[in-house]
Amino acid sequence: MPESGANQGLEEARALLAAAERICVLTGAGVSAESGVPTFRGEEGLWKSYRAEELATPRAFRRDPRTVWEWYDWRRGRIRDCAPNPGHLALARLALGPKTVRIVTQNVDGLHEVAAREAAGDGGDPSPALPLEVHGSIFRVRCTACTYRIPHRDPIQTKDEAILPKCPVCMALLRPDVVWFGETLDPGVLSEAFQVAGATTLCLVAGTSALVQPAASLPLATLEGGGSVVEINPTETPLTTLAEVSLRGASGEILPLLVEGLV
Ligand code: BV8
Ligand code: ZN
């Protein structure tokens, strides 16, 4: 249970959430940390001494698609065994509740979608809680040459470049359907994200270091639109000084407390 200072912050944040008509939620790797998904920063961000920013680039894939696919296959393997945590589920319940809520995520792990379906239950409509994935999904592949794109969860054979997955339409190499550093985001997804963030009363930011652009500028669009920002992160970020309330702690613990009684 958060001590008094944090308690006061929590009550303030709950009041802001209760008063907000429209809510934009922005999440990063931190909301999936308690599910066992490695974040990008720090030790976890390293794979075989490669930094994520080195491997998640078109140049790395052109130069060595086998190693880049081996890295994505490793991450897909880790994520496949992960389940949404109470943070994902609290956000899904919030989005399925009476308020207008849009979840915008930088995560490619698909856990917000799993949480949406779980929270909606059998026969329930999960669509209000389905996230806008601004950086794509690690469980989709697309062709490097044509418009072929499909969901794909099976392990990838990465022993030899010759056996890497190929497009059944044009035989070109398939790649993970994620946005790499140096690549622009899907224009439709990007404009929807900024439209939502700019028209919202409250931007609830959880588990992001707020360093990767343009996603890190979404809360600024909320502030420019006259709305306010509530942040959840165990450590301070470049957003902390701009936030109305910044709660120090784990999103898996704080988010259920935040939405309690609101949904
Ligand atoms: C683009 C998909 C136009 C792939 C990802 C110089 C200045 C400004 C910008 C740039 C620059 N140089 C280049 C750029 C642009 C670049 C950028 O922003 N670079 C950064 C590093 C400076 N952006 C781009 O390239 C974007 N495209 O701008 O196109 C353009 C084109 C050419 C040249 C210029 C511009 C594309 C960006 C998208 C890249 N793809 N992912 C994949 O996943 O494989 S980004 C990836 O990294 C994630 O999606 C996410 O966005 C980011 C990681 O950030 P976080 O999610 O925040 O995770 P992180 O680990 O950093 O932090 C975790 C946080 O959680 C921490 O704060 C921690 O304290 C907290 N936490 C931990 N545990 C918990 C917790 N919080 C709560 N609860 C817990 N339990
Ligand atoms: Zn193709």
Side-chain angles (χ1 to χ4, degrees):
M1 190 54 168
E3 77 294 334
S4 64
N7 236 349
Q8 187 242 333
L10 185 64
E11 283 322 308
E12 230 181 302
R14 282 173 54 77
L16 285 167
L17 213 65
E21 276 129 47
R22 293 180 306 283
I23 299 168
C24 172
V25 178
L26 175 65
T27 66
V31 291
S32 294
E34 291 150 273
S35 296
V37 179
T39 64
F40 278 69
R41 233 118 299 265
E43 285 315 301
E44 291 184 329
L46 287 178
W47 178 78
K48 290 187 175 180
S49 77
Y50 289 103
R51 290 183 47 68
E53 276 95 348
E54 287 168 79
L55 289 169
T57 66
R59 194 150 154 268
F61 192 72
R62 269 195 308 279
R63 181 183 288 168
D64 182 357
R66 197 205 65 70
T67 299
V68 172
W69 258 125
E70 190 185 354
W71 179 52
Y72 278 97
D73 186 57
W74 173 78
R75 289 171 64 191
R76 286 158 51 112
R78 290 281 302 265
I79 296 169
R80 223 177 270 116
D81 307 334
C82 296
N85 63 60
H88 295 107
L89 295 166
L91 291 174
R93 289 198 307 279
L94 180 68
L96 294 173
K99 290 180 179 293
T100 307
V101 178
R102 191 75 167 103
I103 299 173
V104 178
T105 188
Q106 299 169 76
N107 300 343
V108 297
D109 58 30
L111 290 179
H112 280 299
E113 178 168 350
V114 178
R117 297 188 190 291
E118 200 173 309
D122 299 348
D125 172 15
S127 54
L130 294 178
L132 193 56
E133 299 174 313
V134 294
H135 293 160
S137 169
I138 205 169
F139 291 119
R140 251 193 339 259
V141 296
R142 75 166 191 261
C143 178
T144 51
C146 74
T147 59
Y148 179 81
R149 177 196 305 245
I150 53 159
H152 186 292
R153 296 184 69 86
D154 302 334
I156 304 275
Q157 300 313 317
T158 62
K159 289 258 162 317
D160 185 325
E161 190 166 327
I163 60 170
L164 291 177
K166 302 284 186 307
C167 172
V169 178
C170 73
M171 293 316 290
L173 206 50
L174 292 178
R175 56 167 280 177
D177 188 19
V178 297
V179 180
W180 281 329
F181 289 96
E183 288 185 326
T184 52
L185 279 60
D186 174 285
V189 169
L190 189 60
S191 63
E192 184 181 350
F194 273 92
Q195 189 277 324
V196 167
T200 196
T201 328
L202 179 76
C203 189
L204 175 59
V205 182
T208 184
S209 56
L211 295 172
V212 172
Q213 298 298 345
S217 299
L218 288 166
L220 308 184
T222 301
L223 294 171
E224 274 145 34
S228 49
V229 169
V230 167
E231 178 185 48
I232 300 171
N233 197 309
T235 64
E236 293 206 355
T237 75
L239 280 175
T240 302
T241 50
L242 303 170
E244 189 91 14
V245 181
S246 185
L247 302 172
R248 294 276 88 60
S251 52
E253 290 167 20
I254 294 180
L255 284 168
L257 297 173
L258 207 52
V259 307
E260 202 171 37
L262 287 177
V263 289

